[in-house]
Amino acid sequence: MNALQAHCIDFNYPGMPLFNQASLRVDSGSIVGLLGPNGAGKTTFFDIICGLKHLNGGRIINPFTQQLYLSQTLMPPPALRMSDIFKMTTLLCSPAPVNKHHVQEKLARWSPRILKRYNEIWNKKSSLCSYGEKRWFFTVSLLSITADFYILDEPTAGVDPEFRFYIWQCLRGAAQEGAAILVSSHNVDEISENCQGFYMISQYKFIHFEQGEAFKHYFQATTLDQAFINAAAGN
C-alpha cells in the first residue's frame, strides 16, 4: 500500500516557525483530515508536498505518481462556461483525455443525485454561478480525473449543506476506488464524521486522532468546536 509520509519535518518563515518535528501519514484508499486555525500551516504544508516550498528539516516520502491539488482560491474567467473551464483543467491536469462522459460515469457511481445538477451547470457561464456552485463543480470535476493522490484545501468552503453532502459522497467514492485523499477544513464536525482519522496542527506538530471523542478528551473539551479552540490556543 502506498502512503504519503511526512517524517519529523521542520519549516519556518523568517521569525515564524510553523512545523517542528511534525509527522503525518496518508494511506491509499483513505480520507485523512487536516485541521488547524488560520495561519497554522495547512496550505503551506500542501505547498510543501507539491514542491512549491522547501523544508528546513525532515523529509517527505511521496510515492504517488499522479496527484491533484485543489487550492483554496478559485477564480475562473467569468466569460467562460463551466464546460470550458473543465476542458482547460483536464488538459492541464490529466495524462489521458477526459470528457463529460467520464465525469457522468463516476458521479453515477459515487453520488447519483448530484448528476442532474452537474449537467445543468455544465453550459452555464462562470459569471452566473455562485461561488458555492463553482466550488463544488470544480471539486467533483477534479475528482473525475484519474489520480492516486488528491489534496483538497477546504473543498466545502462556501458550499451549502446539500452539496457539501454530495462532495463527501464523491470523496468516499474516490477513496473506495483506491485514491489517497488529504483534505483540510475549518468544519470540525465534517472532518470527524467523514475521515478515517485526522490531524490537528497544534504546537507546531500534527496531532493524530481516530475520532472526535478522542479529540475532545485530548483537549479537555465537551464539544468539537471547543476542542478546536483549545488546540488553537496552544499555537
Side-chain angles (χ1 to χ4, degrees), residues 26 46 80 91 113 124 133 136 203 212:
V26 185
F46 294 160
L80 294 184
L91 284 171
R113 293 179 66 181
K124 194 173 178 181
E133 287 178 316
W136 70 254
Q203 291 292 298

Side-chain angles (χ1 to χ4, degrees), residues 5-24:
Q5 299 175 68
H7 281 294
C8 299
I9 65 169
D10 298 324
F11 181 88
N12 61 272
Y13 292 109
M16 185 177 71
L18 280 187
F19 302 119
N20 179 23
Q21 297 288 291
S23 297
L24 171 151

